[in-house]
Every structure is written in C-alpha cells, then in structure tokens.
Amino acid sequence: MSDDTRTSETLAAIEAATSADAVEAIRIEALGKQGWISQALKTLGGMAPEERQAAAPRIQARREQVAEAIASKKAALESAALERRLASEVVDLTLPAPDAPRGSVHPVSQVMDELAEIFADMGFSAATGPEIEGDWHNFTALNMPESHPARAMHDTFYFPDAAPDGGKMLLRTHTSPVQVRTMMAQGAPLRIIAPGRVYRSDSDATHTPMFHQVEGLVIDRDITLGHLKWTLETFLKAFFERDDIVLRLRPSYFPFTEPSVEVDVGFAIEGGRRVLGGSGDEPGHGWMELLGSGMVNRRVIAMSGLDPDQWQGFAFGVGVDRLAMLKYGMDDLRAFFDGDVRWLKHYGFSFLDQPTLSGGVGARA
Ligand code: PHE
C-alpha cells in the first residue's frame, strides 16, 4: 500500500471515529513511536541528500495533516459530549435550596442598628472615631489634663509608640473623643451619635476589658438640659417600646460636661425580674443608673475649635451592651464576647430582622 493511500485511509478512519479511544488508537498507529509515519520519518536518515530533499516535505506534510485531523476530531468529540450532557442534565430551579447553616446578628450589632434607626428619625447622623486614640483626644481635650484624677478611673491599655501629635497612644476608654473629633471636622451645628468599642482595664461579671458605648452630641445655639431630657426620654421609649419609661436626672460630675447629670430609669420587679417602666419611687419599684450626660463643658467646645459664647449643647454616653442586656434579658456580660455559637443561636437576630421605627425596633427573630 502506498503511503498516499495509507494517508487517505487514516484520514477517513479519523473522520469515521466515534470515540476518543478510537481516535487515540489511530494516533498511536500513525504517530506513535512505532507508527508508520514515525517510521517513515526515521528512514529519511538513511537516504541520499537529493532523495531526502524530495521525500522530507512529503512525509512532514502527511504528519501534519494527520495530527491536525486528530486534534480537530478530538475537539469535536469533546464538544459533542458536552452538548449531550447539557441536554440531559436539567436544573430544577423549583427544588428547595439545601439547608445551609445560617449565622445570626449579634445582639450588640442589633442594638446598634436600633440606636441608629431611632436617632436617625430625630435627625442624628452617625460618626465614628479610631479605637486607638491619642491621650489628647481621649483625655486632655475632654478637660482631663495630665495628672487629672479622673484619668485614673479610666485605666486603659497604652502603646509604646507616640501618637501623631506627640502624646501617648492608648485604647480609647470612652466614645467621648468622637465629640472632639466631630466638632473639629464638621463645626457646628451638629447632631450625632457615635457607637463603637471602648476599652478599660476591668474584668468581672458586669465589666469586660472591651465593651461598647454610644455617644450622643448636639451642638447648636440654644440647646438646654430640657432638650437633653426630651431626647433621652424619646429614645428610651422607642428603644424599650414602652410609653411609661420615667427618667430621673441626678446631679453628677464629669470633667467634660457642666452641669453633669446621671440619668436613672424607673423599674418594677415582676416575677423576680427587673422590668423598666413607671416611677422608681412607687412601692416595690426602684431606680437604675443608666447613663451619664450633661451640657458640654465650655472648655471642651473651645478646645474643639468652636466659640463657646456662640455654641452650646448636650452630650451623653451609654453602654450598648447594658442596653442589650436590659432589653433582651441576658445577665452575664462576659457571654457577649465568648464566641459561643449556642449563645448566639439563642440571643442572635435574623439578618432579615432590620429594625424600623414603623415595624418595631426590637422584633425577635
Ligand atoms: N464618657 C463618659 C463615660 O464613659 C460618659 C459620658 C458621655 C458622660 C458624655 C457625659 C457625657 O463614662
């Protein structure tokens, strides 16, 4: 059989093949080590130069022709196989999705969302500040100069490096430095809340070295303690979803507010539990300390770059974790940060449970 005939037969066999295995067998027979084309190539070595010059291009051309035919047949068979699979495999989009484990929203995140929702309705925007602060923002600008005794109540964690302004770097002990930062960055008038993490060197059932606060700050021309009381009352009624929340304002002291007030909320004991609502002076009731607040100290306003003769306002700071415990009935703060999924399953919220004032801020999952 001449090599030309053999080539056309091989090409015809490739064309007729119906499986990748059949094509592979043909390839071995022609192009494999012992294949007839490979053998023909080997014979070139023993030829006289003129003979080789005439034969080589023919054999090379044959080899290329066969190799190309094999490659394109293989590709055609593969895509035909894919077509067949796509035609036979039908995806039923109406089947229920497999039940993947679903996470839940931590009560602290949920309560922060609720706070943002309630205060947004009163025209407050949310501000943030760094958790690693300089001691100027955390203390000095809040009227706690170095060696002020109030600094001792905020024992915290210091860093060896200096802050950008040359002061000490520390983990912020409260969200109040955001007051200073926001006044400096945005000027007045202002209505903000600043939720976030804060740190103190403290640890027992009701204190963790890291906890959450939300700061409130209103700066305008004619703000009074009356605005503070109304704002807190409106917030707490919406948050606890009770109209009978009663507040008691007690004179207190913070270096960054003057006058300062501690805000207590009345509660009753029902079935061994404290339930917020009603005056704490009624028989069987009591007052619970809830948050610190006051009129922003003139010095703080001045150190934040505003003229205290033109601008005044109120500020408050409240523990977010404590708000969550009071509203949702947890009794050990440490469990908030243990990362136990059983606790989260029990107290966590569905991610679909977005608080809205019309739908209720505290609907349980
Ligand atoms: N920063 C205070 C604290 O952490 C709380 C506070 C904030 C008091 C704003 C008054 C005004 O204890």
Side-chain angles (χ1 to χ4, degrees), residues 104-307:
S104 57
V105 176
H106 195 285
V108 170
S109 303
Q110 174 73 16
V111 165
M112 284 187 175
D113 287 348
E114 295 177 11
L115 294 168
E117 187 64 36
I118 295 168
F119 279 102
D121 257 35
M122 294 194 266
F124 286 65
S125 54
T128 54
E131 289 170 32
I132 298 177
E133 259 299 6
D135 74 334
W136 188 82
H137 285 98
N138 195 79
F139 292 126
T140 313
L142 290 164
N143 200 29
M144 285 185 268
E146 213 162 324
S147 78
H148 190 290
R151 283 198 181 199
M153 295 191 306
H154 290 222
D155 191 13
T156 184
F157 306 89
Y158 286 84
F159 293 86
D161 296 334
D165 60 10
K168 290 186 189 127
M169 268 212 300
L170 46 79
L171 290 177
R172 68 177 180 189
T173 60
H174 49 180
T175 42
S176 301
V178 185
Q179 289 186 33
V180 177
R181 287 185 174 276
T182 313
M183 280 189 266
M184 293 181 95
Q186 297 178 19
L190 265 189
R191 276 189 226 179
I192 55 139
I193 57 163
R197 290 187 195 102
V198 301
Y199 303 82
R200 289 189 203 173
S201 178
D202 235 350
S203 191
D204 58 41
T206 54
H207 297 89
T208 48
M210 186 281 304
F211 60 104
H212 299 83
Q213 285 189 332
V214 61
E215 194 82 5
L217 173 68
V218 171
I219 298 285
D220 211 323
R221 294 184 189 275
D222 306 298
I223 298 297
T224 69
L225 267 185
H227 295 115
L228 168 65
K229 189 172 184 219
W230 179 87
T231 303
L232 289 175
E233 233 165 48
T234 306
F235 153 57
L236 291 169
K237 283 178 181 172
F239 179 74
F240 288 112
E241 295 175 282
R242 292 186 72 116
D243 283 332
D244 61 347
I245 296 286
V246 181
L247 299 185
R248 182 177 75 174
L249 271 54
R250 238 176 337 109
S252 182
Y253 173 76
F254 297 101
F256 33 91
T257 46
E258 179 60 35
S260 301
V261 287
E262 202 87 52
V263 177
D264 300 335
V265 58
F267 66 87
I269 304 270
E270 282 171 21
R273 287 203 92 94
R274 290 172 168 197
V275 177
L276 297 191
S279 161
D281 289 333
E282 283 168 38
H285 287 225
W287 294 106
M288 187 189 316
E289 189 182 310
L290 194 62
L291 59 92
S293 61
M295 300 304 292
V296 180
N297 192 304
R298 294 174 53 85
R299 292 175 151 199
V300 175
I301 293 180
M303 279 188 278
S304 302
L306 298 178
D307 176 359

Side-chain angles (χ1 to χ4, degrees), residues 348-350 353 363-365:
F349 291 79
S350 159
D353 185 24
R364 284 310 306 266

